Amino acid sequence: MKTQSDIRKELDAVDEEIVRLFEKRMNLSMQMAAWKKAQGLPVLDKQREQQVIVSRREMLTDSRYAPCVETLYKTILSLSREEQNRWLQEEEHHA
């Protein structure tokens, strides 16, 4: 059996990867905001967000975590929209 310390080290390593990937995802989200602005499209695309949530649930190998993944992606998508809207407001302010 692993020790508490070993498990915590593994959790820390996973968290480091999650944070790195989250930052990468947010950077891509900002690129999407610029693309949407150039196309004259709104930040929110409810249909696309629902597709993302469904597809991420389907990526699971253990369906017990489906509700958790849904909550996670609703949160991630909300944060992405907030940052996109903040960036767009800053762009309008500097225009």
Side-chain angles (χ1 to χ4, degrees), residues 28-70:
L28 288 166
S29 176
M30 299 315 293
Q31 291 176 34
M32 183 60 74
W35 184 87
K36 287 177 180 179
K37 179 182 178 191
Q39 301 299 314
L41 295 172
V43 167
L44 178 58
D45 181 344
K46 288 183 183 182
Q47 184 177 3
R48 171 64 182 152
E49 288 197 6
Q50 188 57 38
Q51 289 171 344
V52 168
I53 291 166
V54 169
S55 70
R56 290 353 175 229
R57 279 195 319 246
E58 291 171 352
M59 291 177 184
L60 285 168
T61 56
D62 188 336
S63 63
R64 290 180 298 171
Y65 302 123
C68 298
V69 165
E70 185 168 339

